[in-house]
Each structure stands twice: as structure tokens, then as C-alpha cells.
Amino acid sequence: MQKTIIRFGLISGAVSSVLLVLLTTIGRAIGFKTFADYGVWFGFTSIILSLTLVYFGIKSYRDQHSEGRITFGKAFQIGISVTVISCVCYAITWLIFYFNFFPTFMEDFGAYHLQKMKEDGKSAAEIAQQATEIAKANAQYQNPFYNFAVTFMEPFPVGLLMTLVSALALKKK
């Protein structure tokens, strides 16, 4: 079981890491204004794509090591383990990328967000309040443990959902 979990977790982590770096690099190159409206969709699509390996990890274990049978509990255990490994890879990749290659990401994103608020006609008080919140978030984001936790939680809910759906779909007694 461990080999299956590690193999599919690392493959999922590699896919999510490559797509994270690729999409962030593209977004940085073309600018937040152009990329921001669709970046979230591209990001979640890449997370869903990488976490489809949860399904294949459970199916692989069921078909190759469990004589075609698996309980919901065992399937969930495999799926959530693959998810955790994938999310750890994703978060570590972001830490390396953020602190070494894109340390101004939060400031750039914050500036984009404030500019968008101005363009949308928000009041000076609303913009000032948002600027304060952004500055606080930026300061917290400089802590690698906080950064890791926030980044880990981006794909984790998707992985949890994929695990639940896959465990239900693949369970066989």
C-alpha cells in the first residue's frame, strides 16, 4: 500500500508543482491585469488535473493488491494519503519558487487588487482598509510556516473531495 501511495502521491505532486510554476511564470510574464481574471480557473483546473491521480492510486491498489476489492475506509486512507503527499509537494514547490524567484508576488498581487478596486470606483476608506489588510497578509506570508500552511490548504479541499468521490466510486466488497 505504501508504494502505491508514495508513487501516486509523488506523481500528483510533480504534476501540480510543474503546473504551479508554469502558470505562475506565465501570469508573471503577461501581468496580473491580463491573467488574474482567468488565473484562478487555470489554477484550480491544474489542481483538479493533478489530483485525478487520487482516483488512479485507489484503483491501482484495488486492482493490483486487493483482488479487485476495497472498502470505503481503505480507499479513503489511500486517497487522503496521496492528497497529503501531493499538497506537501505543491506547498514546498511554492515556498522555493516564492522565496527564490518571485518574492514580490504578494506585493504585486496586492497592488493589482488595490488598482482594481480604484477602477471599480470603491471609496478611499474601503481601499485604505483593504490596503491595511493586504499589508498584514503580506507580513504573515513572509513566515515560511504560515506560507506553507496557506499554500497547502489551496489544493487540499479539492483533494479531500476527490478522495471522497473516488472512495465511493471505487469501493467493492
Side-chain angles (χ1 to χ4, degrees):
M1 183 167 80
Q2 286 181 333
K3 280 185 174 182
T4 301
I5 289 168
I6 292 169
R7 180 180 49 214
F8 283 91
L10 290 176
I11 293 169
S12 176
V15 170
S16 67
S17 294
V18 167
L19 291 173
L20 170 68
V21 170
L22 181 67
L23 289 174
T24 305
T25 302
I26 291 169
R28 183 179 184 187
I30 65 175
F32 280 110
K33 186 171 178 100
T34 305
F35 192 72
D37 293 335
Y38 304 103
V40 172
W41 293 107
F42 289 127
F44 276 108
T45 301
S46 70
I47 288 169
I48 291 168
L49 179 66
S50 71
L51 287 168
T52 58
L53 285 146
V54 167
Y55 174 88
F56 293 110
I58 296 168
K59 186 175 184 326
S60 173
Y61 180 81
R62 182 194 73 186
D63 295 347
Q64 295 177 8
H65 303 288
S66 191
E67 300 171 0
R69 294 187 305 258
I70 194 165
T71 64
F72 173 82
K74 181 63 82 175
F76 184 86
Q77 180 184 9
I78 293 166
I80 203 68
S81 298
V82 170
T83 295
V84 167
I85 292 170
S86 181
C87 292
V88 166
C89 292
Y90 179 85
I92 288 172
T93 300
W94 177 246
L95 284 176
I96 292 167
F97 191 69
Y98 176 75
F99 285 108
N100 293 296
F101 303 106
F102 203 1
T104 61
F105 174 82
M106 288 300 284
E107 289 83 9
D108 296 346
F109 187 75
Y112 163 76
H113 185 67
L114 293 174
Q115 181 61 38
K116 187 156 175 45
M117 288 180 75
K118 287 176 188 174
E119 291 170 3
D120 291 345
K122 301 293 181 183
S123 72
E126 287 176 303
I127 294 170
Q129 179 184 2
Q130 188 65 44
T132 302
E133 291 175 19
I134 289 171
K136 181 181 174 186
N138 288 349
Q140 290 174 319
Y141 209 69
Q142 297 311 307
N143 178 330
F145 297 107
Y146 179 85
N147 189 316
F148 180 89
V150 168
T151 306
F152 180 91
M153 288 307 297
E154 289 174 18
F156 186 77
V158 176
L160 179 60
L161 182 62
M162 294 288 275
T163 296
L164 289 169
V165 170
S166 297
L168 283 170
L170 292 169
K171 72 177 180 167
K172 281 188 182 178
K173 293 187 176 179

